[in-house]
Each structure stands twice: as structure tokens, then as C-alpha cells.
Amino acid sequence: MGFFETYGKPDDIKADKKLTTEEMLEHGIEQQEKLLNGEEVLNLKGEPIRSWFRDGRFVPSIGIFGLFDGKAIPWKKGTEKAMLEAFKKSYEAGDFASYIKAVDKKREENNAKLAEGRKNIGKKKK
């Protein structure tokens, strides 16, 4: 039996729906809530996700980008749930719009770099 009979013929690749920056942040908040409730939360690779609460700092992130551009907010152990709830309310009130816009821009720049890199795959340098 040949390869195609076993695995099928090549098909068009359909791109996954890309989440907006806001959807990514909302998903991140949900994941952090689960973590704080003691649930195990895994990323797409099956690895545990990182808490936004670590080393005495609160560092929310959207994908690979920190929401506060490499800055953090100090926190005290035991205040995580209240802090995350206040963060969620502030997000819903639009308090982080400028930060989200900055992350949006970084995501666009990163996607453009990745697309350019993909175009250059297989091209020989002279």
C-alpha cells in the first residue's frame, strides 16, 4: 500500500481563525482564573501555562507580548483573585485600550516579519 492510499492525498491548508488581541487577552484572563482555582491549564503544546503572578510581580501577557511592555505591577501573595478581578473589570471598562493597541501593532509587525521569512524559505542566497 502506498503513501497516498495510507495517508490520503494533499489537501488545501485552511488557516486557523486568528484571534484578535482582545480575544487573546480575554482567553488569557479565563486561563488565569482557572489557574487560580487550582485547575491545570495547558498550552497548545500540552505544557502548563505560566501564571501572570510570579516573583512578586503581576505580568499579564497577550501571546508572546507583555501587556505592559516589559513592565510589571507588584502584588502580594493572597491578593491574586481580587487583583485579577479588578484587572478584568478595568479591561472591560476600556482602561487598557492604549496598551492593547500597542500589542496589536507589535503583533502586526511580528506577523509581517514571519510572512517575509516564509517567502524567503527555499531561496538561495547569492
Short mmCIF file of all heavy atoms in Angstrom, two decimals, residues 25-35 41 88:
data_model
loop_
_atom_site.label_atom_id
_atom_site.label_comp_id
_atom_site.label_asym_id
_atom_site.label_seq_id
_atom_site.Cartn_x
_atom_site.Cartn_y
_atom_site.Cartn_z
N LEU A 25 -6.56 38.36 25.02
CA LEU A 25 -6.49 38.80 26.42
C LEU A 25 -7.63 38.20 27.23
O LEU A 25 -7.42 37.72 28.35
CB LEU A 25 -6.52 40.34 26.50
CG LEU A 25 -6.41 40.91 27.91
CD1 LEU A 25 -5.14 40.44 28.62
CD2 LEU A 25 -6.44 42.43 27.86
N GLU A 26 -8.83 38.18 26.67
CA GLU A 26 -9.98 37.58 27.36
C GLU A 26 -9.73 36.11 27.65
O GLU A 26 -10.02 35.61 28.74
CB GLU A 26 -11.25 37.76 26.53
CG GLU A 26 -11.71 39.21 26.45
CD GLU A 26 -12.71 39.48 25.33
OE1 GLU A 26 -13.16 38.52 24.66
OE2 GLU A 26 -13.03 40.67 25.12
N HIS A 27 -9.17 35.40 26.67
CA HIS A 27 -8.84 33.99 26.84
C HIS A 27 -7.77 33.85 27.94
O HIS A 27 -7.86 32.95 28.79
CB HIS A 27 -8.34 33.40 25.52
CG HIS A 27 -7.99 31.96 25.59
ND1 HIS A 27 -8.93 30.97 25.77
CD2 HIS A 27 -6.79 31.33 25.52
CE1 HIS A 27 -8.33 29.79 25.80
NE2 HIS A 27 -7.03 29.98 25.65
N GLY A 28 -6.80 34.74 27.94
CA GLY A 28 -5.76 34.71 28.97
C GLY A 28 -6.33 34.92 30.36
O GLY A 28 -5.93 34.25 31.32
N ILE A 29 -7.27 35.85 30.48
CA ILE A 29 -7.91 36.09 31.78
C ILE A 29 -8.63 34.83 32.25
O ILE A 29 -8.51 34.43 33.41
CB ILE A 29 -8.87 37.30 31.70
CG1 ILE A 29 -8.09 38.60 31.50
CG2 ILE A 29 -9.74 37.38 32.96
CD1 ILE A 29 -8.95 39.81 31.15
N GLU A 30 -9.37 34.19 31.33
CA GLU A 30 -10.07 32.95 31.68
C GLU A 30 -9.09 31.88 32.16
O GLU A 30 -9.34 31.18 33.15
CB GLU A 30 -10.84 32.42 30.47
CG GLU A 30 -12.04 33.24 30.09
CD GLU A 30 -12.65 32.81 28.75
OE1 GLU A 30 -12.30 31.73 28.23
OE2 GLU A 30 -13.49 33.56 28.22
N GLN A 31 -7.97 31.75 31.46
CA GLN A 31 -6.97 30.75 31.85
C GLN A 31 -6.38 31.07 33.22
O GLN A 31 -6.17 30.16 34.03
CB GLN A 31 -5.84 30.69 30.81
CG GLN A 31 -6.27 30.08 29.50
CD GLN A 31 -5.12 30.00 28.52
OE1 GLN A 31 -4.39 30.96 28.32
NE2 GLN A 31 -4.96 28.84 27.91
N GLN A 32 -6.12 32.35 33.49
CA GLN A 32 -5.57 32.74 34.78
C GLN A 32 -6.57 32.47 35.91
O GLN A 32 -6.19 32.05 37.00
CB GLN A 32 -5.13 34.21 34.77
CG GLN A 32 -3.96 34.48 33.84
CD GLN A 32 -2.71 33.71 34.19
OE1 GLN A 32 -2.28 33.68 35.34
NE2 GLN A 32 -2.13 33.07 33.19
N GLU A 33 -7.85 32.68 35.63
CA GLU A 33 -8.89 32.38 36.63
C GLU A 33 -8.88 30.89 36.95
O GLU A 33 -8.97 30.49 38.11
CB GLU A 33 -10.26 32.81 36.12
CG GLU A 33 -10.46 34.31 36.10
CD GLU A 33 -11.74 34.77 35.42
OE1 GLU A 33 -12.26 34.07 34.52
OE2 GLU A 33 -12.22 35.86 35.77
N LYS A 34 -8.76 30.06 35.92
CA LYS A 34 -8.70 28.61 36.14
C LYS A 34 -7.48 28.23 36.96
O LYS A 34 -7.57 27.41 37.87
CB LYS A 34 -8.69 27.87 34.79
CG LYS A 34 -10.01 27.92 34.06
CD LYS A 34 -9.92 27.22 32.73
CE LYS A 34 -11.24 27.31 31.96
NZ LYS A 34 -11.15 26.68 30.64
N LEU A 35 -6.33 28.82 36.62
CA LEU A 35 -5.11 28.55 37.39
C LEU A 35 -5.29 28.90 38.86
O LEU A 35 -4.91 28.12 39.74
CB LEU A 35 -3.94 29.38 36.85
CG LEU A 35 -3.08 28.83 35.74
CD1 LEU A 35 -1.96 29.80 35.41
CD2 LEU A 35 -2.52 27.47 36.05
N VAL A 41 -3.88 24.11 33.55
CA VAL A 41 -4.17 24.71 32.25
C VAL A 41 -2.96 24.50 31.36
O VAL A 41 -1.84 24.87 31.72
CB VAL A 41 -4.48 26.23 32.38
CG1 VAL A 41 -4.85 26.81 31.03
CG2 VAL A 41 -5.60 26.46 33.39
N LYS A 88 -9.72 42.49 35.30
CA LYS A 88 -10.77 42.14 34.33
C LYS A 88 -11.78 43.30 34.20
O LYS A 88 -12.15 43.68 33.08
CB LYS A 88 -11.47 40.86 34.78
CG LYS A 88 -12.52 40.34 33.83
CD LYS A 88 -13.10 39.02 34.35
CE LYS A 88 -14.17 38.47 33.47
NZ LYS A 88 -14.67 37.17 33.98
#
